[in-house]
Tab-separated table of all heavy atoms in Angstrom:
chain	number	residue	atom	x	y	z
A	1	THR	N	-15.872	-15.750	-4.607
A	1	THR	CA	-16.649	-16.322	-3.496
A	1	THR	C	-16.087	-15.799	-2.189
A	1	THR	O	-14.997	-15.212	-2.130
A	1	THR	CB	-16.556	-17.869	-3.527
A	1	THR	OG1	-15.169	-18.218	-3.270
A	1	THR	CG2	-17.028	-18.430	-4.872
A	2	VAL	N	-16.809	-16.040	-1.119
A	2	VAL	CA	-16.359	-15.630	0.201
A	2	VAL	C	-15.027	-16.295	0.529
A	2	VAL	O	-14.119	-15.638	1.074
A	2	VAL	CB	-17.424	-15.950	1.277
A	2	VAL	CG1	-16.885	-15.712	2.677
A	2	VAL	CG2	-18.648	-15.102	1.062
A	3	SER	N	-14.883	-17.554	0.148
A	3	SER	CA	-13.620	-18.249	0.447
A	3	SER	C	-12.484	-17.650	-0.353
A	3	SER	O	-11.345	-17.506	0.165
A	3	SER	CB	-13.740	-19.776	0.206
A	3	SER	OG	-14.068	-19.970	-1.136
A	4	ASP	N	-12.722	-17.196	-1.603
A	4	ASP	CA	-11.706	-16.520	-2.393
A	4	ASP	C	-11.314	-15.208	-1.747
A	4	ASP	O	-10.108	-14.861	-1.627
A	4	ASP	CB	-12.184	-16.253	-3.820
A	4	ASP	CG	-12.422	-17.472	-4.624
A	4	ASP	OD1	-11.804	-18.522	-4.331
A	4	ASP	OD2	-13.194	-17.408	-5.585
A	5	LEU	N	-12.324	-14.465	-1.267
A	5	LEU	CA	-12.048	-13.180	-0.606
A	5	LEU	C	-11.240	-13.393	0.663
A	5	LEU	O	-10.297	-12.667	0.933
A	5	LEU	CB	-13.361	-12.468	-0.309
A	5	LEU	CG	-14.145	-12.002	-1.501
A	5	LEU	CD1	-15.524	-11.513	-1.036
A	5	LEU	CD2	-13.434	-10.906	-2.271
A	6	LYS	N	-11.642	-14.426	1.447
A	6	LYS	CA	-10.914	-14.701	2.687
A	6	LYS	C	-9.466	-15.093	2.426
A	6	LYS	O	-8.541	-14.678	3.143
A	6	LYS	CB	-11.627	-15.774	3.494
A	6	LYS	CG	-12.891	-15.272	4.145
A	6	LYS	CD	-13.548	-16.320	5.009
A	6	LYS	CE	-14.771	-15.752	5.725
A	6	LYS	NZ	-15.380	-16.746	6.623
A	7	ALA	N	-9.251	-15.870	1.349
A	7	ALA	CA	-7.893	-16.292	1.008
A	7	ALA	C	-7.030	-15.050	0.642
A	7	ALA	O	-5.886	-14.931	1.055
A	7	ALA	CB	-7.908	-17.255	-0.157
A	8	LEU	N	-7.632	-14.123	-0.116
A	8	LEU	CA	-6.923	-12.903	-0.506
A	8	LEU	C	-6.630	-12.042	0.737
A	8	LEU	O	-5.531	-11.493	0.874
A	8	LEU	CB	-7.760	-12.111	-1.500
A	8	LEU	CG	-7.127	-10.866	-2.136
A	8	LEU	CD1	-5.860	-11.234	-2.856
A	8	LEU	CD2	-8.103	-10.219	-3.099
A	9	LEU	N	-7.590	-11.946	1.661
A	9	LEU	CA	-7.368	-11.193	2.898
A	9	LEU	C	-6.257	-11.838	3.710
A	9	LEU	O	-5.377	-11.136	4.227
A	9	LEU	CB	-8.672	-11.133	3.714
A	9	LEU	CG	-9.745	-10.200	3.143
A	9	LEU	CD1	-11.074	-10.494	3.796
A	9	LEU	CD2	-9.356	-8.747	3.340
A	10	LYS	N	-6.304	-13.133	3.874
A	10	LYS	CA	-5.318	-13.831	4.658
A	10	LYS	C	-3.923	-13.663	4.067
A	10	LYS	O	-2.962	-13.438	4.784
A	10	LYS	CB	-5.683	-15.349	4.757
A	10	LYS	CG	-4.764	-16.118	5.675
A	10	LYS	CD	-5.245	-17.538	5.817
A	10	LYS	CE	-4.349	-18.305	6.799
A	10	LYS	NZ	-4.798	-19.690	6.981
A	11	GLU	N	-3.849	-13.734	2.744
A	11	GLU	CA	-2.557	-13.584	2.019
A	11	GLU	C	-1.947	-12.236	2.324
A	11	GLU	O	-0.734	-12.087	2.383
A	11	GLU	CB	-2.833	-13.714	0.527
A	11	GLU	CG	-1.604	-13.583	-0.347
A	11	GLU	CD	-1.971	-13.727	-1.798
A	11	GLU	OE1	-2.647	-14.715	-2.145
A	11	GLU	OE2	-1.569	-12.898	-2.611
A	12	ASN	N	-2.785	-11.221	2.553
A	12	ASN	CA	-2.286	-9.861	2.815
A	12	ASN	C	-2.311	-9.502	4.308
A	12	ASN	O	-2.169	-8.343	4.682
A	12	ASN	CB	-3.127	-8.847	2.009
A	12	ASN	CG	-2.799	-8.976	0.547
A	12	ASN	OD1	-1.690	-8.622	0.121
A	12	ASN	ND2	-3.715	-9.469	-0.243
A	13	GLY	N	-2.523	-10.525	5.151
A	13	GLY	CA	-2.475	-10.304	6.599
A	13	GLY	C	-3.637	-9.485	7.169
A	13	GLY	O	-3.449	-8.784	8.177
A	14	LEU	N	-4.803	-9.543	6.545
A	14	LEU	CA	-5.938	-8.766	7.016
A	14	LEU	C	-6.963	-9.696	7.714
A	14	LEU	O	-6.959	-10.927	7.516
A	14	LEU	CB	-6.620	-8.096	5.806
A	14	LEU	CG	-5.757	-7.115	5.053
A	14	LEU	CD1	-6.490	-6.655	3.796
A	14	LEU	CD2	-5.434	-5.898	5.913
A	15	LYS	N	-7.858	-9.093	8.500
A	15	LYS	CA	-8.925	-9.812	9.199
A	15	LYS	C	-9.813	-10.516	8.171
A	15	LYS	O	-10.176	-9.926	7.182
A	15	LYS	CB	-9.707	-8.793	10.028
A	15	LYS	CG	-10.806	-9.386	10.806
A	15	LYS	CD	-11.548	-8.299	11.605
A	15	LYS	CE	-12.855	-8.813	12.130
A	15	LYS	NZ	-13.661	-7.729	12.689
A	16	ILE	N	-10.159	-11.781	8.466
A	16	ILE	CA	-10.910	-12.572	7.474
A	16	ILE	C	-12.351	-12.820	7.907
A	16	ILE	O	-13.075	-13.538	7.223
A	16	ILE	CB	-10.221	-13.907	7.168
A	16	ILE	CG1	-10.100	-14.766	8.424
A	16	ILE	CG2	-8.873	-13.674	6.532
A	16	ILE	CD1	-9.586	-16.165	8.154
A	17	LYS	N	-12.795	-12.264	9.032
A	17	LYS	CA	-14.169	-12.494	9.499
A	17	LYS	C	-15.067	-11.378	9.038
A	17	LYS	O	-14.650	-10.249	8.887
A	17	LYS	CB	-14.213	-12.622	11.023
A	17	LYS	CG	-13.378	-13.824	11.497
A	17	LYS	CD	-13.736	-14.183	12.916
A	17	LYS	CE	-12.824	-15.254	13.435
A	17	LYS	NZ	-13.263	-16.567	13.330
A	18	GLY	N	-16.343	-11.731	8.836
A	18	GLY	CA	-17.346	-10.718	8.496
A	18	GLY	C	-18.185	-11.151	7.314
A	18	GLY	O	-17.939	-12.208	6.703
A	19	ARG	N	-19.192	-10.308	6.975
A	19	ARG	CA	-20.032	-10.598	5.838
A	19	ARG	C	-19.264	-10.339	4.554
A	19	ARG	O	-18.226	-9.686	4.540
A	19	ARG	CB	-21.262	-9.667	5.876
A	19	ARG	CG	-22.153	-9.975	7.072
A	19	ARG	CD	-23.453	-9.155	7.015
A	19	ARG	NE	-23.353	-8.004	6.157
A	19	ARG	CZ	-23.506	-6.738	6.556
A	19	ARG	NH1	-23.771	-6.469	7.792
A	19	ARG	NH2	-23.372	-5.740	5.709
A	20	LYS	N	-19.818	-10.850	3.465
A	20	LYS	CA	-19.130	-10.750	2.177
A	20	LYS	C	-18.836	-9.283	1.830
A	20	LYS	O	-17.745	-8.928	1.409
A	20	LYS	CB	-19.945	-11.402	1.071
A	20	LYS	CG	-19.249	-11.399	-0.268
A	20	LYS	CD	-20.010	-12.144	-1.319
A	20	LYS	CE	-19.244	-12.230	-2.612
A	20	LYS	NZ	-19.919	-13.053	-3.619
A	21	GLN	N	-19.828	-8.420	1.988
A	21	GLN	CA	-19.628	-6.986	1.657
A	21	GLN	C	-18.525	-6.371	2.468
A	21	GLN	O	-17.735	-5.559	2.021
A	21	GLN	CB	-20.924	-6.179	1.791
A	21	GLN	CG	-20.824	-4.771	1.243
A	21	GLN	CD	-20.432	-4.724	-0.218
A	21	GLN	OE1	-20.993	-5.422	-1.028
A	21	GLN	NE2	-19.483	-3.870	-0.571
A	22	GLU	N	-18.440	-6.765	3.751
A	22	GLU	CA	-17.374	-6.272	4.629
A	22	GLU	C	-16.008	-6.720	4.135
A	22	GLU	O	-15.043	-5.956	4.137
A	22	GLU	CB	-17.589	-6.715	6.069
A	22	GLU	CG	-18.813	-6.145	6.749
A	22	GLU	CD	-19.113	-6.780	8.080
A	22	GLU	OE1	-18.657	-7.898	8.364
A	22	GLU	OE2	-19.855	-6.143	8.853
A	23	LEU	N	-15.953	-7.965	3.671
A	23	LEU	CA	-14.684	-8.492	3.121
A	23	LEU	C	-14.267	-7.720	1.864
A	23	LEU	O	-13.110	-7.330	1.708
A	23	LEU	CB	-14.815	-9.982	2.802
A	23	LEU	CG	-15.232	-10.925	3.945
A	23	LEU	CD1	-15.336	-12.353	3.430
A	23	LEU	CD2	-14.275	-10.858	5.093
A	24	VAL	N	-15.268	-7.500	0.988
A	24	VAL	CA	-14.988	-6.730	-0.257
A	24	VAL	C	-14.526	-5.329	0.073
A	24	VAL	O	-13.559	-4.828	-0.458
A	24	VAL	CB	-16.269	-6.709	-1.147
A	24	VAL	CG1	-16.109	-5.730	-2.259
A	24	VAL	CG2	-16.558	-8.072	-1.673
A	25	ASP	N	-15.220	-4.676	1.047
A	25	ASP	CA	-14.832	-3.315	1.448
A	25	ASP	C	-13.434	-3.304	2.049
A	25	ASP	O	-12.647	-2.401	1.765
A	25	ASP	CB	-15.824	-2.782	2.483
A	25	ASP	CG	-17.200	-2.498	1.891
A	25	ASP	OD1	-17.320	-2.462	0.647
A	25	ASP	OD2	-18.170	-2.391	2.658
A	26	ARG	N	-13.107	-4.331	2.822
A	26	ARG	CA	-11.766	-4.401	3.439
A	26	ARG	C	-10.693	-4.520	2.375
A	26	ARG	O	-9.644	-3.891	2.450
A	26	ARG	CB	-11.740	-5.575	4.402
A	26	ARG	CG	-10.593	-5.510	5.387
A	26	ARG	CD	-10.674	-6.589	6.452
A	26	ARG	NE	-11.892	-6.469	7.247
A	26	ARG	CZ	-12.753	-7.466	7.488
A	26	ARG	NH1	-12.523	-8.674	7.038
A	26	ARG	NH2	-13.829	-7.255	8.180
A	27	ILE	N	-10.936	-5.342	1.362
A	27	ILE	CA	-9.963	-5.502	0.262
A	27	ILE	C	-9.825	-4.189	-0.518
A	27	ILE	O	-8.712	-3.755	-0.799
A	27	ILE	CB	-10.385	-6.643	-0.689
A	27	ILE	CG1	-10.242	-7.992	0.007
A	27	ILE	CG2	-9.565	-6.620	-1.969
A	27	ILE	CD1	-10.825	-9.154	-0.750
A	28	ALA	N	-10.955	-3.541	-0.816
A	28	ALA	CA	-10.880	-2.278	-1.554
A	28	ALA	C	-10.121	-1.216	-0.765
A	28	ALA	O	-9.280	-0.488	-1.317
A	28	ALA	CB	-12.300	-1.752	-1.881
A	29	HIS	N	-10.374	-1.151	0.532
A	29	HIS	CA	-9.658	-0.194	1.392
A	29	HIS	C	-8.198	-0.501	1.402
A	29	HIS	O	-7.352	0.391	1.312
A	29	HIS	CB	-10.248	-0.236	2.806
A	29	HIS	CG	-9.551	0.685	3.749
A	29	HIS	ND1	-9.683	2.031	3.713
A	29	HIS	CD2	-8.682	0.419	4.777
A	29	HIS	CE1	-8.936	2.579	4.648
A	29	HIS	NE2	-8.310	1.615	5.303
A	30	PHE	N	-7.843	-1.795	1.512
A	30	PHE	CA	-6.449	-2.223	1.536
A	30	PHE	C	-5.748	-1.815	0.244
A	30	PHE	O	-4.623	-1.260	0.277
A	30	PHE	CB	-6.355	-3.724	1.752
A	30	PHE	CG	-4.926	-4.247	1.662
A	30	PHE	CD1	-4.029	-4.089	2.665
A	30	PHE	CD2	-4.533	-4.904	0.508
A	30	PHE	CE1	-2.729	-4.556	2.584
A	30	PHE	CE2	-3.238	-5.375	0.398
A	30	PHE	CZ	-2.343	-5.192	1.431
A	31	VAL	N	-6.375	-2.080	-0.869
A	31	VAL	CA	-5.746	-1.765	-2.184
A	31	VAL	C	-5.505	-0.252	-2.281
A	31	VAL	O	-4.448	0.188	-2.656
A	31	VAL	CB	-6.652	-2.258	-3.337
A	31	VAL	CG1	-6.137	-1.675	-4.661
A	31	VAL	CG2	-6.609	-3.759	-3.399
A	32	HIS	N	-6.538	0.522	-1.873
A	32	HIS	CA	-6.405	1.986	-1.949
A	32	HIS	C	-5.296	2.485	-1.025
A	32	HIS	O	-4.454	3.247	-1.414
A	32	HIS	CB	-7.742	2.673	-1.616
A	32	HIS	CG	-7.652	4.156	-1.612
A	32	HIS	ND1	-7.477	4.884	-2.783
A	32	HIS	CD2	-7.647	5.059	-0.573
A	32	HIS	CE1	-7.375	6.141	-2.460
A	32	HIS	NE2	-7.508	6.293	-1.161
A	33	GLN	N	-5.345	1.999	0.206
A	33	GLN	CA	-4.371	2.403	1.192
A	33	GLN	C	-2.949	1.936	0.830
A	33	GLN	O	-1.995	2.699	0.907
A	33	GLN	CB	-4.734	1.849	2.575
A	33	GLN	CG	-3.828	2.284	3.681
A	33	GLN	CD	-4.258	1.678	5.007
A	33	GLN	OE1	-4.842	0.607	5.049
A	33	GLN	NE2	-3.962	2.363	6.102
A	34	HIS	N	-2.849	0.729	0.364
A	34	HIS	CA	-1.588	0.145	0.032
A	34	HIS	C	-0.956	0.905	-1.185
A	34	HIS	O	0.237	1.126	-1.213
A	34	HIS	CB	-1.736	-1.357	-0.319
A	34	HIS	CG	-0.466	-2.065	-0.427
A	34	HIS	ND1	0.391	-2.272	0.637
A	34	HIS	CD2	0.142	-2.669	-1.496
A	34	HIS	CE1	1.430	-2.949	0.225
A	34	HIS	NE2	1.316	-3.212	-1.075
A	35	HIS	N	-1.818	1.239	-2.129
A	35	HIS	CA	-1.349	1.983	-3.291
A	35	HIS	C	-0.802	3.339	-2.898
A	35	HIS	O	0.292	3.755	-3.309
A	35	HIS	CB	-2.465	2.107	-4.364
A	35	HIS	CG	-2.064	2.947	-5.538
A	35	HIS	ND1	-1.134	2.525	-6.451
A	35	HIS	CD2	-2.436	4.186	-5.929
A	35	HIS	CE1	-0.962	3.461	-7.357
A	35	HIS	NE2	-1.774	4.470	-7.060
A	36	SER	N	-1.527	4.055	-2.040
A	36	SER	CA	-1.088	5.349	-1.604
A	36	SER	C	0.198	5.275	-0.787
A	36	SER	O	1.134	6.044	-0.948
A	36	SER	CB	-2.156	6.032	-0.726
A	36	SER	OG	-3.293	6.207	-1.481
A	37	HIS	N	0.245	4.275	0.082
A	37	HIS	CA	1.416	4.079	0.920
A	37	HIS	C	2.659	3.740	0.074
A	37	HIS	O	3.742	4.241	0.335
A	37	HIS	CB	1.140	2.971	1.960
A	37	HIS	CG	2.320	2.699	2.851
A	37	HIS	ND1	2.722	3.587	3.816
A	37	HIS	CD2	3.138	1.623	2.951
A	37	HIS	CE1	3.753	3.076	4.443
A	37	HIS	NE2	4.042	1.877	3.939
A	38	ALA	N	2.465	2.878	-0.910
A	38	ALA	CA	3.600	2.446	-1.746
A	38	ALA	C	4.143	3.624	-2.537
A	38	ALA	O	5.363	3.740	-2.664
A	38	ALA	CB	3.110	1.335	-2.731
A	39	ALA	N	3.276	4.502	-2.989
A	39	ALA	CA	3.757	5.656	-3.771
A	39	ALA	C	4.585	6.546	-2.841
A	39	ALA	O	5.585	7.154	-3.255
A	39	ALA	CB	2.590	6.427	-4.355
A	40	ALA	N	4.179	6.683	-1.556
A	40	ALA	CA	4.880	7.558	-0.653
A	40	ALA	C	6.205	6.969	-0.172
A	40	ALA	O	7.141	7.688	0.146
A	40	ALA	CB	4.001	7.831	0.559
A	41	MET	N	6.346	5.654	-0.099
A	41	MET	CA	7.537	5.021	0.447
A	41	MET	C	8.678	4.931	-0.555
A	41	MET	O	9.774	4.574	-0.175
A	41	MET	CB	7.153	3.611	0.937
A	41	MET	CG	6.276	3.626	2.149
A	41	MET	SD	6.951	4.531	3.547
A	41	MET	CE	8.290	3.466	3.971
A	42	GLY	N	8.466	5.206	-1.827
A	42	GLY	CA	9.556	5.197	-2.764
A	42	GLY	C	9.728	3.927	-3.530
A	42	GLY	O	8.942	2.984	-3.374
A	43	ALA	N	10.786	3.834	-4.284
A	43	ALA	CA	10.993	2.716	-5.223
A	43	ALA	C	11.129	1.389	-4.555
A	43	ALA	O	10.553	0.418	-4.985
A	43	ALA	CB	12.202	3.001	-6.067
A	44	THR	N	11.894	1.261	-3.441
A	44	THR	CA	12.100	-0.012	-2.804
A	44	THR	C	10.831	-0.598	-2.293
A	44	THR	O	10.507	-1.733	-2.545
A	44	THR	CB	13.135	0.132	-1.670
A	44	THR	OG1	14.332	0.682	-2.214
A	44	THR	CG2	13.453	-1.226	-1.076
A	45	THR	N	10.083	0.211	-1.500
A	45	THR	CA	8.829	-0.261	-0.949
A	45	THR	C	7.805	-0.526	-2.065
A	45	THR	O	7.080	-1.492	-2.029
A	45	THR	CB	8.267	0.751	0.039
A	45	THR	OG1	9.251	1.029	1.034
A	45	THR	CG2	7.034	0.240	0.720
A	46	ALA	N	7.777	0.343	-3.080
A	46	ALA	CA	6.858	0.155	-4.163
A	46	ALA	C	7.125	-1.140	-4.914
A	46	ALA	O	6.219	-1.852	-5.331
A	46	ALA	CB	6.926	1.343	-5.165
C-alpha cells in the first residue's frame, strides 16, 4: 500500500511525498543505487 511504501521510504531517509508510482520508482532507484554504491564501498559499507 502507499502507507507501506512511505514507511519503507522513511526508514531509508527518502522523500515520502508523491503518487504511488513515484514512490515505487523512488524505492527501485534507491535499491539499484544503494546496491551499486555498497559494492563500490567495500566490505564494511556493504
Side-chain angles (χ1 to χ4, degrees):
T1 65
V2 171
S3 60
D4 293 336
L5 293 170
K6 286 183 177 182
L8 186 59
L9 287 165
K10 186 175 183 180
E11 180 180 310
N12 289 291
L14 298 172
K15 181 180 165 189
I16 61 172
K17 297 198 186 265
R19 294 187 340 242
K20 183 175 185 177
Q21 188 58 47
E22 292 171 342
L23 303 178
V24 170
D25 292 344
R26 197 172 300 130
I27 290 171
H29 177 73
F30 174 77
V31 168
H32 177 71
Q33 183 181 27
H34 191 67
H35 175 69
S36 299
H37 179 69
M41 292 303 292
T44 304
T45 306

